[in-house]
Amino acid sequence: MAIHSIAEAQTLRYTPNVPSEVEYEFDINLDLGPSQTSLKGTTRYKIESLSDGEVRMTFQGGLSESTKNKSLTRRRTFPPRHSFSHSSGFGRTPTYRGLSTTSNTVTITSLGELVALQGESQLPYLLGHLSLLPFEPLPPSDQTTWKREGTVGVAATESQDRFGFPPFSDRNDRDLRTASTQMTYELLNQNADQASIKKTYKLIMPLKDTDSVIELDGSGTWVFDKKRNLPGSMDFTYQLKVELGGAMVTAPLRLRYHLLTEAEVAKRKAAADERKAKAEREAAERAEIAARPVTAIEKTAWLKAMRTGNVSERIDALRKLTAKTPADPDREIVATIRKLTQSDSGVVVTFAKKALEKWDREFASTNKLVKSYDSHMHVESTGRTVTGATPLYSGQIVQVNERSNWWKAATVKEVLPSGRVEIEFRGPFPKRAIVEREKIQLAPKDLPQPASLKSAVARSATPTDSETGKALTPFRVWTDATSKFKVRAKLLLIANDSLVLSREDGNLVTVPLSKMSEKDQAFIEGMQNSR
């Protein structure tokens, strides 16, 4: 392809066709020493208007991040743990939205100056907004060289990245800093289709309260598509540097993108449509197979596998049952699956519960409730308020409103003499707290409890009717092992190795039996032995 002289250059301007849609493919790689991080993906711009020298576009897209570990024998030298990203300048910087599918509106001048940005597409590695990344400033006239200097806001945070290299955390506890930037451009050559431009970039940011600096500098070739009047491609290599006490640590970062041709876009759309159609066909086939009634041969084989088969055979049968959507579940199959939920094999129990969710609607409803109360997430308010007369016992599952209008699942650990209740929030992050009774509500009636009041009473020394409130003992003085706690109360029930005592003022106290005095423990043991 013949290259015309620079003297024949035409003025470069962002003046795309309206309306139109364009797509870019991105490939960004950062070498961290022991690992290499890649950001890849496709972004889309819908060109909505071009007027008064301004271009308004709707951006949509995001990049997916992946990390490939290298040889562990490679020497590791990394700078301090900081995280950096360009700030929009309007409040705190959120997490890196450019690493997920997002949408925003961009307005730029025909020279590439930003007029307005609505939305968030922030990227790590000091790359700025994904939606703005292709658009470089253009010269106001037919200049062959031009430059831009200024400052940008950079948000920084302490990070706990495994390898300690900046700038990858997406936490929000960031402080805003100022960095100086310099960009230079040199028109190398152009023809009727495109202009090739050499770009250099430098960002310098001093670290707070130190003599160290963060630098990002590099060079590469940017191509402007003169037929579509938009960025055509970029191949740019940065050096991300951190200077500490005179020592410089670097990490190369390569940025590449290109504007897809109309043929490439059409080919990708056709492939995406075919994938969608295939997925819909396969989903329809699975639904049709799942709705088919179980044949007599299938039933016999699955029952035999569940009753007499080994673990592998039982799991295989349970998988096939889970794939079914029975309109009228077979009672014999349901009963057999239920037995396997009590299996000695934890794997079998897991698959049995999954199958039972498909074959037993009552179990599915209850199991969904159990899962929600085993989680640290919010639960729906039951409105079942707890008063001073409401029996609470150690091990009971309740819901607690500790600081807001949200209710969370918790377990009662102990009802204190003061009437307050020590609870432990459920889920993977257990935390204990002492709360007032009005902050507690009873869990749904359908939620299985480790030990319900009814079952606790059934195990008590003397049968009692919890609904009539009949006590196990008359009023007496109860003392703890330290002799500091004494209370005159009736024994209402024994639940989960704890005593539920009803005081003279009507308030209830739950005390672990192990914390009671030897005399009281002997008294309870005598009651139980006299049954």
Side-chain angles (χ1 to χ4, degrees):
M1 180 171 61
I3 300 296
H4 297 281
S5 69
I6 295 176
E8 300 174 1
Q10 71 179 57
T11 304
L12 305 179
R13 293 291 184 267
Y14 293 112
T15 54
N17 293 330
V18 179
S20 63
E21 290 190 18
V22 295
E23 296 185 16
Y24 288 88
E25 185 174 62
F26 279 84
D27 186 358
I28 303 172
N29 289 277
L30 179 70
D31 190 340
L32 296 177
S35 66
Q36 182 169 328
T37 297
S38 298
L39 304 180
K40 295 184 179 182
T42 303
T43 63
R44 180 181 297 106
Y45 293 86
K46 182 178 181 181
I47 314 299
E48 296 182 341
S49 67
L50 174 60
S51 62
D52 298 326
E54 294 183 356
V55 186
R56 187 174 185 273
M57 304 169 284
T58 298
F59 163 86
Q60 185 176 28
L63 306 182
S64 60
E65 183 177 23
S66 63
T67 300
K68 179 181 180 181
N69 292 326
K70 299 180 181 179
S71 172
L72 295 179
T73 60
R74 183 168 179 172
R75 184 180 178 185
R76 302 178 181 179
T77 54
F78 305 106
R81 299 179 176 181
H82 293 281
S83 176
F84 302 96
S85 65
H86 284 296
S87 169
S88 61
F90 301 99
R92 298 177 71 186
T93 304
T95 55
Y96 296 127
R97 294 289 301 278
L99 298 185
S100 61
T101 300
T102 187
S103 178
N104 60 26
T105 301
V106 179
T107 303
I108 62 172
T109 68
S110 59
L111 292 176
E113 302 294 339
L114 178 64
V115 176
L117 175 64
Q118 297 175 325
E120 170 68 43
S121 60
Q122 191 73 239
L123 286 174
Y125 317 134
L126 293 168
L127 290 171
H129 285 275
L130 176 60
S131 57
L132 301 179
L133 206 50
F135 299 96
E136 303 289 343
L138 297 173
S141 60
D142 294 336
Q143 299 165 258
T144 58
T145 62
W146 64 98
K147 67 179 179 178
R148 293 289 187 276
E149 294 180 347
T151 59
V152 295
V154 175
T157 184
E158 291 297 319
S159 171
Q160 298 299 322
D161 296 309
R162 178 180 175 188
F163 299 116
F165 196 94
F168 318 121
S169 172
D170 59 2
R171 290 168 49 185
N172 287 330
D173 52 337
R174 305 179 181 187
D175 60 286
L176 194 63
R177 307 179 190 180
T178 301
S180 62
T181 60
Q182 183 183 76
M183 295 175 286
T184 66
Y185 300 87
E186 179 185 357
L187 181 61
L188 300 177
N189 51 59
Q190 66 173 321
N191 56 27
D193 296 330
Q194 65 183 35
S196 296
I197 300 163
K198 180 182 179 180
K199 174 190 174 182
T200 66
Y201 178 86
K202 191 173 189 67
L203 178 149
I204 301 178
M205 186 186 71
L207 291 180
K208 192 174 182 180
D209 300 327
T210 70
D211 295 330
S212 302
V213 295
I214 296 286
E215 290 187 16
L216 184 67
D217 62 33
S219 63
T221 301
W222 179 56
V223 175
F224 185 85
D225 189 316
K226 295 174 62 175
K227 287 191 172 181
R228 303 171 80 173
N229 292 315
L230 286 169
S233 65
M234 172 72 86
D235 191 343
F236 200 91
T237 300
Y238 295 93
Q239 291 291 331
L240 184 59
K241 305 176 182 179
V242 178
E243 183 181 356
L244 296 169
M248 184 72 76
V249 183
T250 65
L253 189 157
R254 187 176 185 185
L255 163 66
R256 288 175 292 177
Y257 64 77
H258 72 275
L259 176 63
L260 298 179
T261 65
E262 293 181 357
E264 288 175 321
V265 172
K267 183 178 180 180
R268 290 185 177 210
K269 185 178 184 303
D273 290 344
E274 175 56 31
R275 289 193 298 270
K276 181 180 178 181
K278 181 180 179 182
E280 290 175 347
R281 290 194 302 268
E282 292 175 347
E285 290 173 2
R286 289 193 298 270
E288 191 275 329
I289 294 173
R292 290 176 190 170
V294 175
T295 66
I297 295 176
E298 288 174 329
K299 177 180 176 179
T300 300
W302 293 344
L303 287 175
K304 180 180 179 182
M306 288 190 292
R307 289 169 176 168
T308 62
N310 56 33
V311 170
S312 177
E313 291 170 335
R314 288 180 173 180
I315 290 175
D316 182 63
L318 290 169
R319 284 182 185 273
K320 292 174 180 177
L321 287 163
T322 303
K324 305 296 289 183
T325 308
D328 186 19
D330 185 285
R331 292 184 179 180
E332 188 177 7
I333 290 178
V334 172
T336 305
I337 298 174
R338 275 191 174 276
K339 289 182 180 179
L340 290 182
T341 61
Q342 306 300 320
S343 170
D344 293 335
S345 168
V347 178
V348 171
V349 169
T350 298
F351 280 95
K353 288 183 176 180
K354 289 182 179 179
L356 202 56
E357 286 183 350
K358 299 291 291 288
W359 285 78
D360 189 331
R361 294 184 182 89
E362 182 180 347
F363 175 83
S365 176
T366 301
N367 201 44
K368 181 179 179 181
L369 193 60
V370 169
K371 287 180 180 179
S372 69
Y373 273 76
D374 283 342
S375 168
H376 66 287
M377 303 300 290
H378 300 136
V379 295
E380 185 178 350
S381 171
T382 62
R384 303 181 68 200
T385 58
V386 170
T387 68
T390 305
L392 296 175
Y393 59 91
S394 177
Q396 183 180 6
I397 300 174
V398 294
Q399 55 180 219
V400 176
N401 171 8
E402 186 184 16
R403 293 192 183 93
S404 64
N405 294 326
W406 298 102
W407 295 88
K408 300 182 74 172
T411 302
V412 174
K413 304 305 293 185
E414 184 177 353
V415 179
L416 306 175
S418 64
R420 302 177 77 194
V421 182
E422 183 180 4
I423 56 92
E424 182 176 83
F425 289 104
R426 297 173 66 82
F429 313 108
K431 182 188 71 171
R432 291 201 180 192
I434 296 177
V435 298
E436 304 292 342
R437 279 176 168 263
E438 56 264 27
K439 293 287 188 179
I440 301 174
Q441 289 186 161
L442 298 179
K445 293 181 180 180
D446 296 336
L447 178 70
Q449 293 282 356
S452 66
L453 285 173
K454 204 170 209 179
S455 63
V457 170
R459 294 195 304 274
S460 297
T462 304
T464 189
D465 185 351
S466 61
E467 294 183 1
T468 64
K470 182 178 178 182
L472 301 179
T473 71
F475 280 106
R476 66 187 297 273
V477 176
W478 301 85
T479 307
D480 75 343
T482 66
S483 298
K484 293 181 180 180
F485 164 68
K486 292 184 180 182
V487 62
R488 178 174 169 78
K490 297 183 293 186
L491 176 62
L492 184 63
L493 56 87
I494 304 172
N496 287 356
D497 296 323
S498 293
L499 307 182
V500 179
L501 305 176
S502 177
R503 303 191 311 191
E504 290 180 304
D505 60 7
N507 288 327
L508 301 180
V509 178
T510 303
V511 184
L513 182 58
S514 60
K515 291 189 176 182
M516 301 304 293
S517 65
E518 293 183 4
K519 178 181 177 181
D520 285 339
Q521 290 191 41
F523 174 77
I524 295 299
E525 183 179 358
M527 288 180 59
Q528 293 174 329
N529 291 338
S530 65
R531 292 184 63 176

